[in-house]
Amino acid sequence: MNMNGNISVIIPARDEELNIEGAVRSVAAQECVREIIVVDDQSSDRTPEILAAMATQFPQLRVLRIESLPAGWLGKTHAAAEGAKLATGDWLLFTDADTRHFPGSLAALLARAQSGGADLLSISPGQEVETWWEKAVIPLVYVELAGLFRFEDVNDPRSPAAAANGQYMLIRRSTYDAVGGWEAVRGSVLDDVALARRVKGAGAKILFLPGAAWAKTRMYRRFAGMWRGWTKNLFLLYGSDRTKIVTTVLRLFVRVLLPDALLVIFAAAFVVVLSAGAKAWIAAAVVAASALAVYAGFRRYRHELERLGFSGNLAKYLPIGAVLLGLILLNSLWAWRQGGGIEWKGRIYPVKGAL
C-alpha cells in the first residue's frame, strides 16, 4: 500500500479563529498528507491572518479565499467543493476546523479503508464536553444518533442505511467524482449524510466507525450555538419525521424523567406516611421499583456512552440532558415546520429544498 503523500486534506473555515490553527497543526503532523487546503469562507474574524502566518510555516498549506456564495449552494458544501477542485490527492479528507487529529490517525484510517475496500471512510470523532450543558446534551445526542444510524447497518452493503460525519470524511477521489461530489448535494443541510447516500447508492462501500481513538472535536462553546446547531440538524437527522421526533420525546420522558419523578414523589410520600405511623408498603414498593428503573436506565446509558468513547461518568447528566434534548427536538420540529429559514453562522438556511 502506498500511503505517502496520498491525501489532500480540505478544511472549510468560516470565522474559525479559535480553532483553525489547532486543526491545521494536527493535520500537518500526519504522515501521508500531500497538501492541506483551507477554504476561507468569507471569514470576518482573524482566521485569514492566522492562516497567512501559518502558510510560512507549512509549505503544504494552501489557502483559498471565497468572496461570494453562488445561488443554490450552502456555505459549507460550496467551500468543500471549491477545495476539492484544487486537490491533487488520490484520497480526499474533508474535515472541520474544530477537529483535532491524533498522531498517526490518518495513516491508520487510510490503511483501514484500503484493507477493507472502502470507498468512503467516516468516523464520529470523540466529543470534548467542558460545560454542564455540553455534558448533558452532546453525549445524549450521539447516543440517539447511534440508534438512528447504526454503524453495523451503514457498513452492511445489503442495507440501504447510509451515513457519515462531516467532521471526518475520507473518500477516494475517483468515488467523489463519480457520485458528483458536493455539487450533487449543494443545497442539502445534511450534506455529509446526503453524500454518503449517493456513495452507497452508486454501489460503493462505506465504512463508518466510532472515532474517539483517532480524533476529537468540540462542537459548541456557547449554549446558544448548540441550541441553534441542533435545531438546524435534528429534524433532518430524524428523517423529517414528526412522529419519530414526538415518539423520541415521549420515550425520554417515560424512560428517564418519569422514573426519576416517581422516585422523588413516592420517597417523600413514604417518609410522610411512615412518620404518621401508617402502613407505607405501597409507597415503599413504588420507591423500590422506581429506584430499580432509574438504576437500570443509568447503567444502560453508561454502557452506550462508553461504547461511543465517552466517559461513563457523564451518565449522571442524563435527566437534565433528557429535558434539554426533548426541548431542542421540539424546537427543531417547530422551526422546520414553520417554514422560512434557520440562521447559522450569519447565514439563513432555507427550509424548502434543503432536506
Side-chain angles (χ1 to χ4, degrees):
M1 293 180 194
N2 177 22
M3 294 189 292
N4 295 325
N6 214 21
I7 301 175
S8 296
V9 180
I10 300 161
I11 309 175
R14 179 174 170 83
D15 293 336
E16 294 286 358
E17 63 182 10
L18 297 179
N19 295 312
I20 193 60
E21 182 172 356
V24 171
R25 289 188 180 279
S26 69
V27 168
Q30 304 297 319
E31 300 171 12
C32 45
V33 175
R34 172 176 295 185
E35 59 200 350
I36 305 167
I37 303 169
V38 177
V39 185
D40 176 13
D41 184 12
Q42 297 178 275
S43 294
S44 58
D45 63 0
R46 294 185 58 253
T47 298
E49 289 83 353
I50 294 170
L51 289 170
M54 296 191 74
T56 63
Q57 304 175 45
F58 300 103
Q60 69 269 51
L61 174 61
R62 304 172 66 183
V63 179
L64 172 64
R65 170 79 179 185
I66 291 178
E67 298 296 347
S68 62
L69 180 62
W73 286 83
L74 298 182
K76 187 176 179 181
T77 52
H78 180 241
E82 291 300 300
K85 291 178 182 178
L86 299 179
T88 59
D90 297 328
W91 288 80
L92 308 178
L93 172 63
F94 296 98
T95 188
D96 285 353
D98 57 11
T99 302
R100 302 292 178 271
H101 304 255
F102 297 154
S105 59
L106 186 51
L109 288 170
L110 177 61
R112 186 82 175 259
Q114 291 178 324
S115 64
D119 299 285
L120 167 63
L121 181 146
S122 182
I123 64 171
S124 185
Q127 301 294 319
E128 290 187 294
V129 288
E130 297 188 11
T131 62
W132 68 266
W133 46 267
E134 289 173 282
K135 294 174 182 178
V137 175
I138 301 297
L140 183 54
V141 167
Y142 275 89
V143 167
E144 291 293 320
L145 293 180
L148 291 172
F149 303 97
R150 296 178 67 248
F151 294 110
E152 299 86 347
D153 293 339
V154 174
N155 297 337
D156 184 353
R158 298 166 298 180
S159 169
N165 186 322
Q167 295 164 345
Y168 197 110
M169 296 179 67
L170 180 64
I171 185 171
R172 293 180 190 270
R173 179 62 193 246
S174 57
T175 302
Y176 173 84
D177 291 337
V179 300
W182 295 114
E183 184 173 1
V185 296
R186 58 187 178 274
S188 299
V189 173
L190 289 185
D191 49 85
D192 46 7
V193 176
L195 187 62
R197 286 172 177 161
R198 291 188 66 85
V199 168
K200 198 165 191 180
K205 184 176 181 180
I206 297 177
L207 186 58
F208 189 30
L209 305 167
W214 294 298
K216 65 179 181 179
T217 184
R218 186 180 182 192
M219 295 183 67
Y220 306 109
R221 296 175 182 270
R222 298 187 179 185
F223 183 87
M226 182 187 73
W227 183 274
R228 289 195 301 270
W230 288 124
T231 292
K232 174 173 67 72
N233 290 336
L234 281 177
F235 179 74
L236 304 180
L237 286 166
Y238 276 78
S240 306
D241 188 330
R242 176 172 54 185
T243 300
K244 188 181 293 186
I245 290 176
V246 173
T247 301
T248 299
V249 174
L250 292 175
R251 174 171 52 80
L252 290 171
F253 173 77
V254 172
R255 291 189 181 178
V256 178
L257 301 179
L258 184 59
D260 288 352
L262 290 176
L263 179 60
V264 172
I265 293 170
F266 280 92
F270 175 74
V271 172
V272 170
V273 296
L274 194 63
S275 63
K279 294 181 179 180
W281 63 270
I282 295 178
V286 176
V287 168
S290 300
L292 286 174
V294 169
Y295 176 72
F298 274 93
R299 283 291 301 269
R300 181 172 59 249
Y301 184 50
R302 185 185 183 95
H303 173 73
E304 292 168 337
L305 289 174
E306 291 173 343
R307 186 174 73 92
L308 295 176
F310 289 99
S311 168
N313 292 331
L314 295 173
K316 63 186 177 184
Y317 293 93
L318 177 58
I320 185 62
V323 172
L324 289 174
L325 178 56
L327 292 174
I328 296 172
L329 278 167
L330 292 175
N331 189 59
S332 184
L333 171 61
W334 178 83
W336 281 97
R337 299 287 290 189
Q338 285 296 305
I342 294 177
E343 187 273 335
W344 179 248
K345 282 200 170 187
R347 289 175 173 150
I348 300 297
Y349 282 64
V351 169
K352 292 184 178 180
L355 304 186

